[in-house]
Amino acid sequence: MNGDMLIVLTLALVSLPIRFYHFQDPPEVVFDEVHFGKFAGEYINGTFYFDVHPPLAKMLTALVAQVFSYNGDFDFGTIGNSYLGSSVPYAEMRAVCVLLGVLLVPASFVTLRTGGHSAPAALFAALLVLFENSLSTNSRFILLDAYLLLFTAWTLLSWAMFLKHRNTPFTLEWWWWLSATGFGLGCAVSCKWVGLFTIATIGCSTLYHVWGLWGDLRVSKISFFKHFVARIICLIGLPIAIYVFCFYVHLELLSLTGSGDSYISPHFQHSLVGRDIIETPSDVVYGSIVSIRHLGTNGGYLHSHASNYPEGSKQQQVTLYPYEDENNLWRILKANSSNESEEVQHDILGSDNKTWLQYVRSGEMIKLEHLITRPRKLHSHNEKPPLSDEESYKEVSAYGFPDFDGDANDFWVVKTIGEALESRIQALQSQFQLIHTLQTCALYSGNKKLPDWGFGQQEVACIQNGKIPKTLWMIEQVAHDLLPLEKTRMTSYPRYSFWQKFKELHGLMWRANNDLKESHPYQSRPSEWLMLVHGISYWERDGRHIYLLGNPIIYWTVTVTVFIYMILSFFFKLRQQRGVAERFQPDLLQFYKRAAGFYAMAWAFHYLPFYLMGRQLFLHHYLPALYCGILLVGVSVDLVLQKFKWKLSQWIFVFTLTAIAICAFFNFAPLSYGLPWNRESCIRSQWLPYWDFGCERFSTIGHFANPNPKHAEL
Amino acid sequence: MADSSLRQRRQPLDTKENAQQPAFSRNDIKKITQLQKQHELNEKNGHTILFLAITALSTFVSFFKIWYPAEVVFDEVHFGKFLGYYLRRTYFFDVHPPLGKLLLAAVGYLIGYDGHYEFNDIGESYEANHVPYVALRTFPAALNVLSVSLVYSIMKQSGYAKSICFLTAALVCFDNALVAQNRLIMLDSVMIFFILITVYSYIRFRKLRYQEFSTSWWLWLFATGAGLGCTLSIKMVGLFVVTAIGISVLVDLWALLDIQRGLTMNHFTRHFYARAVALIVVPAMIYLTCFYIHFAILIESGPGDSFMSSQFKDTLKNSATRMKALDIHYYDNITLSHRDTDVYLHSHSLVYPLRYEDGRISSNGKQVVGIEEPDINSWWQVLPATENEKADDDWASRTIRHDDVIRLKHIGTDWILLTHDVASPILSTNEEFTTVAPGERFNETLFKVVLEDPNNMNTWQTGMTAFKLFHMDTKVALWTHEQHLPEWGLGLQDVNGNKNLNERSNFWVAQEIQGKNATEINLSVKQTVKTMPFLRKYLELQGRIFSHNAGLTKPHPYQSAPISWPVMLRGISYWSKDETREQIYMTGNVVGWYLGLASVAIYSGVFLADLISRHRGIEPIDGPVRQRFVNNGGFFFMLYLLHYLPFFVMGRVLFLHHYLPAAVCSYMLLGAVLQFMFVDGITSPISNLQRNASAKIHRHTSVLDPMTAAPDRTSKIMLAIVLSCQVAMFLFLAPMTYGSPSMTVDQVLQHKIFSGWDLQFAK
């Protein structure tokens, strides 16, 4: 093991200069540092933001920033903004990512050694990891992938350690490595949901081993049960606990209102510090002035203003408006108040001690009068709304003029959800639909923004047979002159518990993930990753270009190895079925089948699910699969090395292979590190016509600083 | 677990020693075969009676009031229309392969319908339009009856007890969704019929495995292949049954390959090729033949033209685009429209704002945009790539060919089209298009005309030939997308340079040449209809079918998610009539579908429990019973999963009726599970054990404990209860299935079993 320690140390020492080379350069915002740098600032300021990824990696980035005294005031804006003169400790933040990337190198070595593979093969895999351009580029900047990759690698390492100790169950080492695996899983999935693929990998491997235990009649049922429960606790319980804990810390840190407010529900918003606390009487009586909030979207309050629809009925617009405003105020009136014979129910005596007030109850018919443009009332009729032009949508407007009492198209029935008919409507509590009786439709809003004539506000329409969530409304504030405040209960937004926030955030993240559909010039499909068809432009300036491109030799080797693995395993299966005797020792064959099978499965689990994703995908999504693929290459090389009887020839073989990969690495290094390059080398490196790093940006040898006349003109 | 009925693991049969000598002697097999024959004879009459009874019942259920409603119902809109196109020989486009529609059209042809009616809207009267709709509906309804009979036969061939066979077929017969769907002019009934034919043939084939290469063995193998081909030629959903049969065949072949079977490699290869020919070549031939007939019938230009390439359109009579085609010469003034978004290339003297809202800077040049209605500013003159601005007669006589380099002059402003390395207003990754005064920046105004299909048509023409315009200097293609510029651009469509040259959305079409009336010119020349090899026609249509199917994502008010199907959260309103308050609302039989779902759960539970206990050395289920449960039940289980789960990964719009094939499979699985739960034992073996000469080396792998199912009185009572629940529910929902009689509001509300059922006339 001493030899191994030496190799590990050497590997680390060699990796450091290679990976740290020029790590402060460029002192500008690169690629997604736009997002993740900004998020670090949000943690330091404590302002709430919303993002599709779980928080762990972002919190660790923020921790680094905090330690190196970032005050959170930098606006990352766009790619290319300069860090110089700001308080962003970008060099330190990047250094941590680079360091994590460096750790990946010895991790791969130790993983393979632990699995029982030879030192030359393990070293080979480690060198492939070190000289892989995309792994290098992606861990040079403030991105999440460096964290994710390290946690994935840690998980695989711990699992290899655990399997090594599987014949001595319930010892200290056994427990330690089992929980270490669970820890790695929890951290990986708390960085990005891609960690779920790692969970699937370990889960399948666990099932395989547990199935073996169950079939082993020497293991008693009690003992099996212990095995089973231990795995559930460590591999399911522990990751869930870590995941939830990350979110807990995340929400504790981000206690102030911030840029994420517009994504979350009003209840969530009001649980953040910095919101005006709304306090309102909970009872709603006829004649009250109310503001009504839409619950299905975060569009805001039911709103109207003195501009008309340019089409349809040409009556006054009704929209959703996200901020508090006088135009959000409506007066609730009883619908058949013109009918004199109707008795006012004596619910509560007004503060003048002579007027009786009546509560608004579910199932009753009301009118809503817009306070500012009185006597216009909320109105719907058989016209098509401006944006939703399907048959089942009706336009909603504010309609009415002095001396006209309105018509039956102003009548809406309040219908609460989950409460009995005739229950009282309560501010901030009752969720209700407003049903238009004549059109049998419900007041609705979707996520559609009106054009300029509607000031970009959200469309409100009336929908027939709509889904319930988007037709739900809630009264946020109530005021009535005569309401005796001493007799009513005051209410305000209930504070969201952690679990409610957790649940809501996940719904939002899931939807946001699926909505990432618009096309991006550097996106790619999973099928293109295998052959490394596309790269990603990270940053460019003055003839320097940082372009995420893998080491093609390594990418292609991994792909070929995976296919060879599949063909070979089918081939061996076939021979077995036909009863052909193998020249390999059975144990040896079994050993390699199991090891290669595990890493091939890990590769497949980290790669294939992307085919099912409709969202935009990028080359860097392939990196975890690539890491597993490199380990598979390591195992395969180990198998090939069995053929070499002489130890030295093994080393020679391995170093020759490595040399090819290293040459390719240095060939593409200018793109990985953003170093100056020349057009000739660039064109020579254009191995595939699809690589769009753009050689024309580099000057030819001897012609540096060739000012482009086109740019000069602008 | 101390149940005495659980046996410890028996000596496994598959050990090496056992392989040498057959487990059963020839005499045993003879005895078993005799028993089998006797049993069959005893059962025969009973089966015949039950079979006829269920067929008669199903006929009544399917044909009851088939003439009602005498109006267009739901998707009859589509399939009726397509049928008419066949009869009028007019080219149309549909996402389904042709066989189902061809069969419907054949019925129409035989009864002398001329296809005049357009089936425009749901609810239009057939009688007023003189459509022989009853005869047309007879065909799907008849196939529905045959499907029910087939289910009976499948269960019988699989060796289930008489009562189970009858029950399963009756459950299928009394399913509201199947009845509602399958008596209308639609494809589902045809498809379900062919799925069942395939399953039936395959089971017959499997039962003959000890008489390999015998005549009936070949017959049923080819019948399976033909069934696969026909199913696939009706809807792409046929791929599911192809997968199911494919998996079974692979498992079967893998077992044959086992060295302990004793088959030589030669022998195995024969098995392999027999299956490859029957199950791959035959279906493929049938599939292609259907398309061949499709093209042979549809020879007139019609509504399907617009989906096809110009070369394809040329093969149709009276093609409208053909009439619009004219060669473009230099100095012609033309309009250009973007193929995907239908906007015309347009420019005017308004300029890009120097600084956009997000702080980026533009060239401040004149705008180039896309406009929906062409106007005076949409004319462009094609100039040759010479610095000389003056018209030149030598050039003027020339047409423009593939890869020619041209310049475009905007007629309204007299400026030349140009693009350059400046970010476009909306997409900062794409290049801005603008115009410059003549004579300036010559190199940046050069564009290459790249035609879509230069091998077929090498000359740039209006109407016919789609083309891309590549910028010579910066290698971008003229492109536009459905995003509109803000107020400074009058809300017109953003046009820019796309760096991805290969995108399909880069294509433009020249529409008109100023001063030339294409139709008049073309009418004066005699038009010839071109031909095109069948395979190329087929490949083109198949490609369009795939891309169009994937593009069917526009939401529909009655679409539903696969997860909601088996629990029937929502149905589909097929038809309603306000005057009489009648409606057809498609939902399954609540009893049957929930029982089907339960059977899936029970099957998985029992299977897993058995698997887990066997791994621990305990065998809870008896040999033949387990064998049937795993093999035959497993086949039904797989059929069900393969007809249901793939929908979860489909992006297209989905409807409840996509679940119907899966529902039929779930009924068969339900039959298997009910037998397992309520009937003691199983009739086994049911395969023909007599071996023919070539199969001598085969080892019997099935467990040869002869056994007969013994349904007792309790089981019969249980089955009767299930059936009566199903029938009761069927009758309860019948008014919504048959569209009559009308229901009062109270009745409608009563029938609203789930709150998601959006029945008409509920108020």
Side-chain angles (χ1 to χ4, degrees):
Chain A
M1 213 52 193
N2 271 337
D4 277 359
M5 279 310 279
L6 198 67
I7 296 179
V8 166
L9 279 179
T10 325
L11 267 177
L13 286 178
V14 172
S15 312
L16 285 173
I18 291 176
R19 287 297 182 86
F20 268 96
Y21 182 67
H22 267 279
F23 76 98
Q24 290 159 307
D25 205 38
E28 292 181 5
V29 177
V30 175
F31 196 57
D32 275 352
E33 287 185 352
V34 171
H35 303 300
F36 303 121
K38 191 170 68 202
F39 295 151
E42 305 270 23
Y43 283 108
I44 285 163
N45 296 330
T47 46
F48 183 81
Y49 72 91
F50 172 74
D51 180 40
V52 296
H53 299 299
L56 179 62
K58 291 174 290 188
M59 291 197 299
L60 292 174
T61 316
L63 178 68
V64 175
Q66 174 94 37
V67 166
F68 293 100
S69 58
Y70 172 44
N71 57 19
D73 59 355
F74 184 69
D75 172 28
F76 284 77
T78 55
I79 296 174
N81 284 5
S82 174
Y83 285 128
L84 299 176
S86 73
S87 73
V88 186
Y90 73 95
E92 290 83 352
M93 288 162 82
R94 283 182 188 169
V96 172
C97 290
V98 179
L99 199 64
L100 298 176
V102 166
L103 285 177
L104 211 56
V105 179
S108 57
F109 179 81
V110 176
T111 307
L112 283 183
R113 286 297 282 156
T114 312
H117 300 284
S118 67
L123 182 63
F124 177 62
L127 289 176
L128 290 192
V129 173
L130 171 56
F131 291 107
E132 211 298 299
N133 298 61
S134 56
L135 286 175
S136 164
T137 309
N138 221 40
S139 57
R140 292 171 64 76
F141 304 105
I142 309 167
L143 304 175
L144 308 185
D145 301 82
Y147 295 90
L148 173 75
L149 279 167
L150 190 74
F151 288 128
T152 308
W154 170 254
T155 309
L156 295 180
L157 170 66
S158 316
W159 188 242
M161 287 288 194
F162 171 73
L163 290 184
K164 200 171 150 185
H165 291 100
R166 71 175 180 280
N167 291 330
T168 52
F170 309 115
T171 56
L172 190 60
E173 283 92 355
W174 188 91
W175 277 110
W176 164 256
W177 288 116
L178 185 61
S179 6
T181 311
F183 173 77
L185 288 176
C187 290
V189 79
S190 307
C191 288
K192 277 191 177 187
W193 281 351
V194 179
L196 286 173
F197 303 157
T198 320
I199 292 184
T201 312
I202 299 299
C204 274
S205 181
T206 309
L207 276 185
Y208 172 80
H209 290 288
V210 167
W211 187 244
L213 283 177
W214 175 250
D216 185 351
L217 293 176
R218 288 167 303 179
V219 179
S220 70
K221 287 212 180 92
I222 299 292
S223 165
F224 175 81
F225 183 71
K226 279 204 283 185
H227 271 285
F228 197 72
V229 171
R231 283 165 175 86
I232 288 196
I233 291 172
C234 292
L235 300 180
I236 298 177
L238 185 60
I240 289 178
I242 292 174
Y243 185 77
V244 172
F245 180 69
C246 284
F247 269 91
Y248 183 77
V249 175
H250 171 78
L251 288 170
E252 284 295 304
L253 288 177
L254 303 177
S255 54
L256 307 178
T257 63
S259 61
D261 281 19
S262 56
Y263 295 93
I264 52 178
S265 69
H267 292 88
F268 199 149
Q269 283 176 18
H270 284 275
S271 308
L272 298 170
V273 181
R275 274 269 149 184
D276 293 337
I277 291 181
I278 288 176
E279 213 178 27
T280 178
S282 69
D283 292 317
V284 184
V285 296
Y286 282 105
S288 302
I289 295 165
V290 296
S291 62
I292 303 173
R293 193 159 188 142
H294 189 229
L295 290 171
T297 64
N298 294 318
Y301 303 91
L302 188 68
H303 179 94
S304 182
H305 42 230
S307 330
N308 293 351
Y309 287 115
E311 50 212 62
S313 66
K314 308 231 162 106
Q315 292 170 4
Q316 183 169 306
Q317 299 170 13
V318 172
T319 63
L320 281 192
Y321 183 67
Y323 309 105
E324 285 187 33
D325 186 84
E326 285 199 317
N327 270 325
N328 299 342
L329 298 181
W330 303 79
R331 190 189 294 278
I332 294 194
L333 301 171
K334 203 155 193 304
N336 14 13
S337 59
S338 60
N339 192 348
E340 295 288 326
S341 63
E342 174 116 11
E343 272 280 310
V344 173
Q345 261 181 286
H346 292 201
D347 282 330
I348 181 170
L349 191 60
S351 52
D352 61 351
N353 277 333
K354 51 185 182 210
T355 322
W356 282 99
L357 303 174
Q358 183 182 344
Y359 292 131
V360 181
R361 290 182 167 84
S362 176
E364 288 178 342
M365 202 184 279
I366 61 161
K367 292 186 286 190
L368 285 170
E369 184 179 60
H370 190 238
L371 200 63
I372 305 285
T373 61
R374 194 169 48 221
R376 300 220 158 108
K377 299 187 182 68
L378 191 73
H379 185 90
S380 181
H381 40 218
N382 196 10
E383 289 273 351
K384 284 201 170 159
L387 299 180
S388 311
D389 59 352
E390 272 141 57
E391 197 55 47
S392 50
Y393 294 88
K394 306 293 171 200
E395 185 190 83
V396 171
S397 65
Y399 176 66
F401 35 86
D403 308 330
F404 169 64
D405 227 20
D407 54 29
N409 269 332
D410 299 342
F411 294 171
W412 302 82
V413 170
V414 190
K415 191 178 152 202
T416 49
I417 298 295
E419 287 171 44
L421 267 182
E422 301 195 5
S423 57
R424 271 153 56 182
I425 302 289
Q426 307 262 311
L428 290 177
Q429 193 180 341
S430 305
Q431 308 192 346
F432 55 85
Q433 289 181 304
L434 287 171
I435 309 279
H436 191 262
T437 40
L438 291 188
Q439 302 290 342
T440 59
C441 55
L443 193 68
Y444 153 95
S445 182
N447 280 318
K448 292 185 187 141
K449 297 272 183 276
L450 294 171
D452 287 346
W453 54 256
F455 312 100
Q457 293 168 10
Q458 195 164 307
E459 181 197 52
V460 170
C462 193
I463 187 173
Q464 296 173 331
N465 300 324
K467 288 194 177 133
I468 289 174
K470 290 213 167 154
T471 58
L472 284 186
W473 302 81
M474 180 182 75
I475 291 177
E476 188 174 275
Q477 267 177 306
V478 189
H480 192 284
D481 294 341
L482 297 178
L483 191 71
L485 288 180
E486 67 282 357
K487 285 191 206 158
T488 70
R489 196 169 56 84
M490 295 303 276
T491 178
S492 53
Y493 270 108
R495 279 182 70 83
Y496 247 17
S497 72
F498 167 70
W499 290 110
Q500 284 169 309
K501 292 183 191 171
F502 183 80
K503 196 178 140 212
E504 183 176 322
L505 263 188
H506 277 77
L508 290 171
M509 287 159 72
W510 176 254
R511 253 169 287 144
N513 234 323
N514 289 331
D515 286 347
L516 284 175
K517 280 218 170 107
E518 70 246 61
S519 119
H520 188 285
Y522 290 106
Q523 74 182 32
S524 47
R525 289 308 303 167
S527 54
E528 297 168 327
W529 301 338
L530 293 180
M531 294 317 290
L532 189 63
V533 174
H534 283 296
I536 308 171
S537 177
Y538 270 24
W539 173 88
E540 57 179 305
R541 185 177 300 275
D542 303 336
R544 287 167 58 202
H545 193 185
I546 299 181
Y547 185 86
L548 180 81
L549 187 72
N551 184 332
I553 300 291
I554 297 178
Y555 270 67
W556 297 340
T557 312
V558 166
T559 308
V560 169
T561 312
V562 169
F563 280 101
I564 290 181
Y565 165 77
M566 288 194 289
I567 293 166
L568 274 187
S569 38
F570 176 70
F571 179 69
F572 278 118
K573 198 94 203 146
L574 205 65
R575 282 164 67 92
Q576 191 192 347
Q577 187 80 350
R578 289 307 291 172
V580 182
E582 297 293 353
R583 283 183 300 144
F584 283 102
Q585 295 162 7
D587 312 356
L588 204 63
L589 190 68
Q590 192 60 29
F591 170 72
Y592 281 107
K593 251 188 200 166
R594 204 176 277 177
F598 176 73
Y599 293 120
M601 175 183 75
W603 176 87
F605 267 126
H606 285 87
Y607 172 63
L608 296 180
F610 284 109
Y611 279 95
L612 298 180
M613 291 189 199
R615 56 162 284 184
Q616 42 167 261
L617 295 170
F618 296 98
L619 180 63
H620 58 246
H621 288 127
Y622 183 58
L623 293 181
L626 183 76
Y627 179 76
C628 303
I630 290 178
L631 294 179
L632 176 66
V633 172
V635 174
S636 319
V637 166
D638 188 33
L639 179 66
V640 173
L641 289 183
Q642 300 285 325
K643 285 270 164 204
F644 294 82
K645 292 279 168 301
W646 194 32
K647 199 123 207 205
L648 190 61
S649 63
Q650 290 186 354
W651 287 102
I652 293 172
F653 176 72
V654 160
F655 278 118
T656 323
L657 287 184
T658 317
I660 302 172
I662 293 176
C663 287
F665 174 78
F666 281 110
N667 185 41
F668 292 100
L671 289 174
S672 309
Y673 290 87
L675 304 173
W677 212 11
N678 61 60
R679 194 175 291 178
E680 284 78 8
S681 323
C682 175
I683 290 170
R684 244 182 288 125
S685 307
Q686 184 89 43
W687 295 355
L688 289 184
Y690 318 102
W691 292 348
D692 47 358
F693 35 75
C695 288
E696 62 274 15
R697 85 182 69 242
F698 301 107
S699 46
T700 47
I701 300 173
H703 285 81
F704 289 107
N706 172 22
N708 195 328
K710 271 180 259 165
H711 288 290
E713 202 175 292
L714 304 176
Chain B
M1 292 300 272
D3 194 330
S4 58
S5 71
L6 298 180
R7 287 187 286 164
Q8 287 303 303
R9 188 191 287 263
R10 284 175 298 185
Q11 277 304 312
L13 279 168
D14 287 346
T15 52
K16 277 238 166 105
E17 301 84 81
N18 275 345
Q20 310 305 330
Q21 67 221 44
F24 291 85
S25 72
R26 182 179 288 265
N27 280 339
D28 280 346
I29 290 174
K30 225 173 226 164
K31 215 159 50 189
I32 291 166
T33 315
Q34 231 148 38
L35 269 174
Q36 238 177 357
K37 288 243 169 76
Q38 189 60 44
H39 180 75
E40 251 169 54
L41 216 65
N42 292 345
E43 296 275 281
K44 200 177 168 208
N45 283 336
H47 270 307
T48 317
I49 292 167
L50 286 178
F51 180 81
L52 290 178
I54 194 64
T55 310
L57 252 178
S58 172
T59 311
F60 178 72
V61 168
S62 306
F63 281 90
F64 177 72
K65 271 200 169 186
I66 192 162
W67 53 88
Y68 196 82
E71 292 181 2
V72 180
V73 179
F74 198 59
D75 272 355
E76 289 188 342
V77 167
H78 298 300
F79 298 112
K81 198 181 289 166
F82 296 147
L83 177 162
Y85 285 135
Y86 274 121
L87 295 174
R88 281 178 288 150
R89 313 196 70 175
T90 309
Y91 190 78
F92 69 93
F93 177 83
D94 179 35
V95 292
H96 301 301
L99 181 63
K101 290 165 289 178
L102 276 173
L103 290 174
L104 288 176
V107 174
Y109 182 75
L110 288 176
I111 58 173
Y113 171 55
D114 60 357
H116 65 273
Y117 179 53
E118 279 285 352
F119 292 80
N120 280 327
D121 274 311
I122 296 175
E124 280 186 351
S125 165
Y126 280 130
E127 272 151 7
N129 290 294
H130 310 290
V131 182
Y133 70 100
V134 176
L136 291 175
R137 281 182 188 166
T138 304
F139 177 63
L143 289 185
N144 187 46
V145 175
L146 289 182
S147 300
V148 172
S149 322
L150 266 173
V151 168
Y152 186 93
S153 305
I154 288 174
M155 299 309 282
K156 181 187 148 200
Q157 290 297 337
S158 306
Y160 291 102
K162 278 202 298 282
S163 47
I164 292 289
C165 297
F166 182 78
L167 174 69
T168 312
L171 290 177
V172 176
C173 170
F174 289 108
D175 185 280
N176 299 71
L178 290 170
V179 173
Q181 183 86 10
N182 291 351
R183 56 210 292 279
L184 300 173
I185 310 171
M186 294 188 228
L187 301 185
D188 302 77
S189 160
V190 193
M191 192 181 58
I192 290 172
F193 171 75
F194 279 111
I195 289 177
L196 291 173
I197 279 277
T198 312
V199 170
Y200 178 76
S201 309
Y202 187 69
I203 289 175
R204 291 300 299 262
F205 166 73
R206 273 294 286 166
K207 286 174 70 178
L208 289 166
R209 62 186 173 282
Y210 300 116
Q211 273 121 52
E212 50 189 46
F213 306 114
S214 63
T215 319
S216 40
W217 187 88
W218 280 109
L219 192 80
W220 288 115
L221 179 59
F222 273 95
T224 312
L228 287 179
C230 292
T231 317
L232 195 58
S233 308
I234 293 165
K235 281 192 179 184
M236 293 319 273
V237 177
L239 278 176
F240 301 158
V241 76
V242 172
T243 319
I245 298 294
I247 292 176
S248 316
V249 166
L250 284 182
V251 170
D252 184 22
L253 280 177
W254 187 249
L256 286 179
L257 198 59
D258 190 345
I259 191 73
Q260 302 191 7
R261 274 285 175 103
L263 263 59
T264 63
M265 214 47 207
N266 230 335
H267 195 143
F268 173 78
T269 324
R270 277 175 67 204
H271 272 289
F272 179 81
Y273 281 124
R275 284 164 178 80
V277 169
L279 303 180
I280 298 176
V281 178
V282 169
M285 294 310 293
I286 291 177
Y287 188 71
L288 289 180
T289 310
C290 289
F291 273 93
Y292 189 84
I293 298 171
H294 177 77
F295 291 132
I297 292 179
L298 302 177
I299 52 172
E300 300 262 358
S301 157
D305 284 21
S306 52
F307 293 90
M308 311 309 292
S309 74
S310 48
Q311 196 193 356
F312 191 99
K313 284 181 222 166
D314 264 359
T315 65
L316 300 169
K317 278 190 206 158
N318 306 326
S319 156
T321 39
R322 180 73 256 169
M323 300 307 280
K324 271 181 73 183
L326 276 185
D327 285 356
I328 299 171
H329 297 78
Y330 284 104
Y331 303 111
D332 277 346
N333 295 343
I334 57 170
T335 53
L336 309 135
S337 77
H338 185 240
R339 191 166 72 177
D340 285 8
T341 60
D342 266 338
V343 296
Y344 287 81
L345 190 68
H346 181 98
S347 179
H348 41 227
S349 44
L350 294 178
V351 295
Y352 292 112
L354 185 59
R355 191 177 272 276
Y356 299 120
E357 272 177 19
D358 59 3
R360 287 182 301 123
I361 292 181
S362 83
S363 68
N364 207 14
K366 287 186 174 149
Q367 297 168 10
V368 173
V369 294
I371 193 166
E372 279 170 32
E373 291 299 326
D375 61 9
I376 187 78
N377 269 328
S378 309
W379 291 102
W380 298 81
Q381 188 176 37
V382 185
L383 300 180
T386 53
E387 301 225 27
N388 180 6
E389 298 289 336
K390 274 203 181 135
D392 182 337
D393 284 346
D394 188 31
W395 281 101
S397 59
R398 284 204 220 164
T399 57
I400 295 141
R401 294 182 175 279
H402 178 62
D403 275 354
D404 279 356
V405 176
I406 60 158
R407 309 165 72 204
L408 285 175
K409 181 162 91 175
H410 184 240
I411 296 295
T413 57
D414 262 352
W415 279 26
I416 314 275
L417 186 71
L418 164 142
T419 181
H420 48 185
D421 192 7
V422 173
S424 79
I426 289 185
L427 293 179
S428 57
T429 47
N430 289 20
E431 289 194 359
E432 177 194 274
F433 264 82
T434 180
T435 57
V436 288
E440 285 179 27
R441 301 165 69 183
F442 175 75
N443 275 333
E444 293 169 66
T445 61
L446 297 180
F447 290 91
K448 183 157 76 178
V449 179
V450 178
L451 301 183
E452 186 182 22
D453 189 6
N455 298 327
N456 171 42
M457 172 56 80
N458 196 14
T459 319
W460 189 21
Q461 289 185 321
T462 52
M464 297 287 284
T465 42
F467 66 95
K468 296 190 267 196
L469 213 52
F470 287 173
H471 188 230
M472 298 294 284
D473 187 41
T474 57
K475 305 277 182 290
V476 294
L478 177 65
W479 185 70
T480 181
H481 57 139
E482 280 189 4
Q483 278 211 16
H484 295 269
L485 297 172
E487 230 157 290
W488 54 257
L490 307 178
L492 296 172
Q493 196 163 305
D494 177 44
V495 168
N496 55 48
N498 185 355
K499 286 181 178 155
N500 187 350
L501 298 179
N502 295 323
E503 250 174 54
R504 285 196 64 81
S505 56
N506 285 338
F507 280 107
W508 295 72
V509 179
Q511 290 296 343
E512 257 188 276
I513 301 180
Q514 204 167 27
K516 288 191 188 170
N517 185 331
T519 324
E520 263 175 37
I521 296 174
N522 278 320
L523 273 180
S524 60
V525 191
K526 194 172 174 290
Q527 299 293 317
T528 51
V529 177
K530 291 185 183 163
T531 56
M532 189 172 164
F534 163 69
L535 270 181
R536 283 190 58 189
K537 269 183 167 178
Y538 160 72
L539 286 176
E540 180 178 334
L541 180 56
Q542 187 69 67
R544 298 294 145 94
I545 286 178
F546 281 141
S547 56
H548 196 80
N549 212 354
L552 283 178
T553 50
K554 192 171 172 273
H556 186 284
Y558 281 106
Q559 76 183 70
S560 48
I563 189 79
S564 70
W565 294 342
V567 287
M568 266 183 291
L569 290 184
R570 193 162 174 236
I572 307 177
S573 175
Y574 269 19
W575 171 84
S576 63
K577 192 169 188 176
D578 293 348
E579 302 93 73
T580 55
R581 302 176 63 87
E582 293 166 322
Q583 60 181 319
I584 297 182
Y585 189 83
M586 206 276 270
T587 60
N589 188 318
V590 181
V591 174
W593 285 27
Y594 273 81
L595 281 179
L597 201 60
S599 72
V600 173
I602 293 170
Y603 186 87
S604 335
V606 172
F607 184 84
L608 273 181
D610 177 61
L611 192 72
I612 290 173
S613 40
R614 281 172 71 86
H615 194 63
R616 196 70 186 173
I618 304 160
E619 293 190 6
I621 308 174
D622 263 358
V625 174
R626 180 177 179 276
Q627 187 104 349
R628 186 67 49 80
F629 187 73
V630 169
N631 291 344
N632 186 267
F635 184 59
F636 292 151
F637 186 68
M638 180 177 72
L639 273 175
Y640 173 77
L641 291 188
L642 282 175
H643 279 91
Y644 179 42
L645 295 187
F647 285 109
F648 282 91
V649 294
M650 276 193 202
R652 61 162 282 180
V653 178
L654 295 170
F655 296 95
L656 180 64
H657 62 245
H658 286 129
Y659 184 68
L660 292 182
V664 175
C665 300
S666 83
Y667 278 125
M668 296 193 285
L669 178 63
L670 178 61
V673 168
L674 287 177
Q675 164 110 19
F676 178 77
M677 286 167 64
F678 294 127
V679 181
D680 257 353
I682 190 112
T683 308
S684 173
I686 47 152
S687 294
N688 197 332
L689 296 179
Q690 216 96 49
R691 298 192 240 183
N692 65 2
S694 68
K696 278 282 155 59
I697 15 174
H698 250 190
R699 239 164 35 89
H700 284 294
T701 46
S702 46
V703 181
L704 291 183
D705 304 336
M707 189 187 225
T708 315
D712 56 6
R713 182 196 282 250
T714 352
S715 81
K716 285 191 175 145
I717 291 172
M718 293 307 289
L719 300 182
I721 291 173
V722 170
L723 183 57
S724 22
C725 288
Q726 175 89 349
V727 174
M729 181 53 82
F730 176 78
L731 292 176
F732 177 66
L733 295 175
M736 288 145 53
T737 306
Y738 291 103
S740 72
S742 70
M743 293 187 283
T744 63
V745 172
D746 280 346
Q747 280 171 327
V748 170
L749 289 176
Q750 239 175 40
H751 282 75
K752 203 168 168 169
I753 297 181
F754 296 105
S755 63
W757 287 14
D758 33 14
L759 299 176
Q760 307 285 322
F761 315 124
K763 284 191 185 103

